[in-house]
Amino acid sequence: MSLREETGPYFGEFGGRFVPESLIKALDELDAAYRAAKDDPTFQAELTELHRSYTGRPSILTEVPRFAALAGGARIILKREDLNHTGSHKINNVLGQALLAKRLGKTRLIAETGAGQHGVATATAAALFGMECVVYMGEVDTERQALNVARMNLLGATVVPVTHGSRTLKDAINEAMRDWVTNVDSTHYLLGTVAGPHPFPVMVRDFHSVIGNEAREQLLKSEGRLPTAVVACVGGGSNAIGIFHAFLDDDVRIVGFEAAGDGIDTPRHAATLERGRPGVLHGAKTYVLQDEDGQTIESHSISAGLDYPGVGPEHAWLRDSGRAEYLGITDDEAMQALLSLSRTEGIIPAIETAHALAGALQLAASMSPDDIILINLSGRGDKDMETAGRYFGFLKDGR
Amino acid sequence: MSRVTETIRAAEANGRGVLVGYLPAGFPSVDETVEALVALAEGGADIIELGIPYSDPVMDGLVIQQATNRALENGFRVRNVFDIIRAVTARVDAPILVMTYWNPVVQYGIERFAADLAAAGGAGLITPDLIPDEATEWIAASDAHGLDRVFLAAPSSTDERLQATVRLSRGFVYAVSTMGITGAREDLDAAARTLVDRLRAVGAETVCVGVGISTAEQVRDVCGYADGAIVGSLLVKTLDSDGVDGVRSVTQSLVTGTQHLKP
């Protein structure tokens, strides 16, 4: 059976809809509208045209030989989602859902954001479609991603710092769900990753599958072959599933790199698939970092976008079935890879993406020059200059 | 018959609706929860709703979030809930329904949780993020152990869903008064009455209304068309500010609203 045909609500034992009854009507409406739109050539044509004229799709492939030489094994090719409008893959899903929200007659978009990339993309779509926009962001993240808060404000969005719980992405999702329960008639919750209740994991995956579909076709055209391995970073898992999905039925190794923070054997990491257990979080059954009682444990990563104690249910399923592997990359390994790509190729990646780059170097070292690793270069690093500047000591005066 | 249903029927026979009072377990401590629940029952609450603190309570407003966070910071463990139930049922008769988000039950083991809850003398579960569609295992476990299943019904639920919710609930159906999360509101939505009428039309025998209720006036209003009113955030706030005696006197005041006004 094709692994690409899974349409939810369950992926094996994972997924489902563990949400208050108040949200079921909205989820049913969204599911029906999404299925109709999926088969509607008008909707697909509108989205494709938006991606061509606004996002800048298709994104290009860039081979990075000087970077690959650091590992001295396989060739490495990047799928350049960092070149999309707003600087990351997030816009793929946002434009799709915003078009759907318009179809549903919603006038207000709400979103959660960790690193700020999804919030910026949502604020962008709200500006483009003339909709009201509220973005929930953990207070901790508003501090470490202050520039993205300013960008969202500039775009006309209201950013609400979430001051309870761990004050990071997971609490921003809780707050967005509370808003949605209260304002569901006027509001679409534009969830930014492949987590959450059905239909979000399937719908968000489909909107991002353009990444893998393009890359597969581009590689077949330029190289006449498929890659040996496809890799991506995994927080909630949207950019990863976006590039993995096209290759699920191929003889291609698939590896996701999670944030190992200080190390997966320390208490400070976000390695949900390696160190979590199946449970229920944010409306889906999936792997969760949790204590014995099922209380969610705070995750840690230098990258706000990977700092999440859950993961999309499709990744949980791909992990358990063995189709994909998931490995950890520490903060230090990721930052070293960020520096390396910047200095060997003149491309500054997001810290999230740097986890995939570090992982690719590890894989490449044991491969041959005939092998090709395809990396989803999911975002650019401009937003991370403050963190990187401090990490490497480029910023002075105690910043 | 479920003890919760019996309690509702007995109140009805006395011309009253029931008052369901919510407090979270372990707030501010396990021992104080026991005293507060006893005061709640002695003050006149007919049914006790005992919440299990959870790290990600998406259905709760700020008052309950802050209280449950404090319980967790003070070291609350899920198994403490059974000790609380034992201690309270030894002293008062009000049946205890446990309100819990689903993950703590999944991690404890659904069957094991049901067995331990029944053994402790608990009446059943209220499940804010478990819809009947996802509840196959819980339905089997609650049947096996004779526990109540209180599912939520929302103003936005279709008639088809209300029908399934009524068929699969036991004890009562929890009608969510408004589209929103827990916390006191000045105006109770007219949507609550419509929802209760719709639940009755698809066969509901016992319906209690919750979310946003914090005055004896609102309790009286709700008991005019439903079988009972559920009060949470006000009691939590009162326990925090005025302690166990505060809970007792606030409950005494709320319960005055449960008397049906004879036309």
Side-chain angles (χ1 to χ4, degrees), chain A residues 4 47-48 51-52 55-61 79-81 84 92 207-222 226 242-243 245-247 374 376:
Chain A
R4 302 186 60 204
L47 184 57
T48 303
H51 278 328
R52 189 195 64 78
T55 309
R57 302 212 72 91
S59 64
I60 58 173
L61 293 184
K79 176 65 172 166
R80 298 292 304 281
E81 293 298 299
N84 293 341
N92 301 324
F207 285 138
H208 281 306
S209 64
V210 65
I211 303 170
N213 291 339
E214 279 178 12
R216 193 173 182 279
E217 199 181 304
Q218 287 165 324
L219 265 183
L220 284 174
K221 198 167 165 198
S222 66
L226 294 173
I243 198 159
H245 193 249
F247 298 94
L374 173 67
N376 190 1

Side-chain angles (χ1 to χ4, degrees), chain A residues 43-65:
Chain A
F43 179 88
Q44 294 301 336
E46 198 176 350
L47 184 57
T48 303
E49 174 54 23
L50 261 179
H51 278 328
R52 189 195 64 78
S53 63
Y54 192 73
T55 309
R57 302 212 72 91
S59 64
I60 58 173
L61 293 184
T62 302
E63 180 158 10
V64 286

Side-chain angles (χ1 to χ4, degrees), chain B residues 151-206:
Chain B
F151 290 113
L152 275 58
S156 60
S157 307
T158 60
D159 284 342
E160 192 187 356
R161 291 194 62 78
L162 291 185
Q163 207 159 16
T165 303
V166 168
R167 184 165 50 81
L168 293 166
S169 292
R170 187 161 52 219
F172 60 84
V173 175
Y174 190 130
V176 176
S177 69
T178 179
M179 295 303 286
I181 54 176
T182 61
R185 286 173 180 74
E186 280 182 14
D187 300 310
L188 208 54
D189 228 80
R193 181 189 290 265
T194 310
L195 175 57
V196 173
D197 289 346
R198 291 175 59 215
L199 283 163
R200 301 268 195 228
V202 296
E205 292 183 356
T206 46

